[in-house]
Amino acid sequence: MEVYHSIAEIRDRLKKEGKTIGFVPTMGALHQGHLALVERAKSENELAVCSIFVNPTQFDKAEDLAKYPRTLDADLALLESVNCDFVFAPSAEEMYSALPQMKFDFGNLEHVMEGRFRKGHFNGVGIVVSKLFHIVQPDKAYFGLKDLQQVAVINRMIQDLSFPITLVPCPIIREDDGLAMSSRNRRLSPEARKLAPHIFRILNEAKLKLEAEEKPQNVLSHVEEAFAAIPEFELEYFEIVDFESLESLESKNPEGQNALCLAAYLDGVRLIDNLVF
Ligand code: PAF
């Protein structure tokens, strides 16, 4: 596995290889969910490339950026263990020698759910992912569906900017007790970690209720009450949306896919999860 910190060097090196590239962009603090993406990238392309960069432009709160775990040595060992071929781990100065002036506007896609609570987040994601796409020039890019809205935004960006890249959305990887894997889980106290699987339980209950044709308003109330019953949680949002447009649904979508999405604070840690059905 080769590790690069410079844009020019990784770009030249990958060009020289001239092979098909499966790309997994990450912010490090890697877990099994990321490794599953790298393994898939490796199995579907000649080369697997992973980037590790805690992107400052997608954080709306400086304290969140400061608290984000940085575990480069452990990450590199994990990537080596799944035979990743190349890692790009630039510094903030390397990525942003000048702060980008251009802005992404993803319309409704960026104003709902995460976008409502994390101002400028998807602009930052758009900037960094488009830069990474230009640097790595992958054939396929692998993103986890835990960040469902991010997948929708990147899909739109690939279409709007005609990137010659196939987006490969990959299923959420969960712990045995149902908690969606996330770099943030390691910040949970042992007590909070025990409570965290309630998120998946409540999402499943909501799905069953919708499948039983309960009105979305009743399902919303159920979810709010279920979280209120566990005072350690603070529910930020719960939405029933169309999987593609992310528009809120008045009733269960009979044609397309529905997605149940939520964000909740537990022990001061913001967790997100979703169920698509
Ligand atoms: O999903 C993430 O970890 C980040 O948003 C990404 C795609 C690596 C961009 O910084």
Side-chain angles (χ1 to χ4, degrees), residues 25-27 34 53 55 58 68 121 125 128-129 143 147 150:
T26 79
M27 297 208 297
H34 295 112
F53 178 59
N55 173 37
Q58 70 188 74
Y68 205 87
H121 171 69
V125 169
V128 79
V129 173
F143 287 83
D147 294 299
Q150 173 168 274

Side-chain angles (χ1 to χ4, degrees), residues 55-267:
N55 173 37
T57 65
Q58 70 188 74
F59 286 83
D60 56 342
K61 294 193 188 110
E63 77 208 63
D64 255 9
L65 172 63
K67 273 199 233 153
Y68 205 87
R70 287 155 173 91
T71 55
L72 185 62
D73 290 343
D75 292 344
L76 294 179
L78 286 172
L79 290 173
E80 186 100 61
S81 76
V82 290
N83 299 320
C84 182
D85 298 289
F86 291 93
V87 179
F88 177 48
S91 64
E93 295 70 35
E94 178 70 5
M95 282 299 273
Y96 298 115
S97 53
L99 258 192
Q101 294 299 310
M102 70 168 286
K103 295 249 181 298
F104 281 87
D105 181 347
F106 295 102
N108 183 55
L109 281 183
E110 74 166 54
H111 297 307
V112 294
M113 302 197 295
E114 289 299 288
R116 221 156 38 96
F117 294 94
R118 302 177 74 188
K119 291 282 167 245
H121 171 69
F122 288 112
N123 176 51
V125 169
I127 287 171
V128 79
V129 173
S130 57
K131 280 170 84 83
L132 290 167
F133 280 175
H134 284 300
I135 295 164
V136 174
Q137 302 188 19
D139 297 274
K140 293 184 179 165
Y142 296 78
F143 287 83
L145 276 167
K146 187 167 84 65
D147 294 299
L148 182 90
Q149 193 168 0
Q150 173 168 274
V151 170
V153 158
I154 301 295
N155 184 32
R156 190 67 216 210
M157 187 182 83
I158 287 177
Q159 285 175 38
D160 286 1
L161 298 181
S162 304
F163 276 107
I165 296 172
T166 305
L167 174 66
V168 186
C170 299
I172 298 177
I173 307 289
R174 297 184 180 278
E175 303 285 357
D176 290 344
D177 58 13
L179 175 65
M181 288 194 186
S182 163
S183 307
R184 290 168 185 243
N185 294 352
R186 63 182 79 187
R187 285 172 42 206
L188 295 170
S189 66
E191 296 72 37
R193 174 64 190 80
K194 279 193 206 128
L195 292 173
H198 282 294
I199 295 176
F200 190 49
R201 171 184 64 81
I202 296 169
L203 275 177
N204 273 302
E205 286 171 6
K207 173 176 171 250
L208 287 176
K209 284 186 179 296
L210 269 180
E211 282 174 341
E213 304 299 333
E214 278 212 32
K215 288 203 180 80
Q217 196 45 51
N218 295 346
V219 179
L220 291 177
S221 307
H222 170 79
V223 168
E224 279 166 13
E225 282 160 23
F227 276 106
I230 313 169
E232 287 82 358
F233 278 108
E234 193 193 317
L235 180 65
E236 191 170 58
Y237 68 80
F238 169 75
E239 298 265 359
I240 305 166
V241 297
D242 174 76
F243 176 58
E244 303 231 316
S245 67
L246 302 186
E247 271 167 33
S248 275
L249 293 173
E250 299 295 315
S251 60
K252 185 161 71 84
N253 188 348
E255 306 283 307
Q257 285 183 301
N258 304 274
L260 306 179
C261 305
L262 66 77
Y265 281 91
L266 172 60
D267 201 20

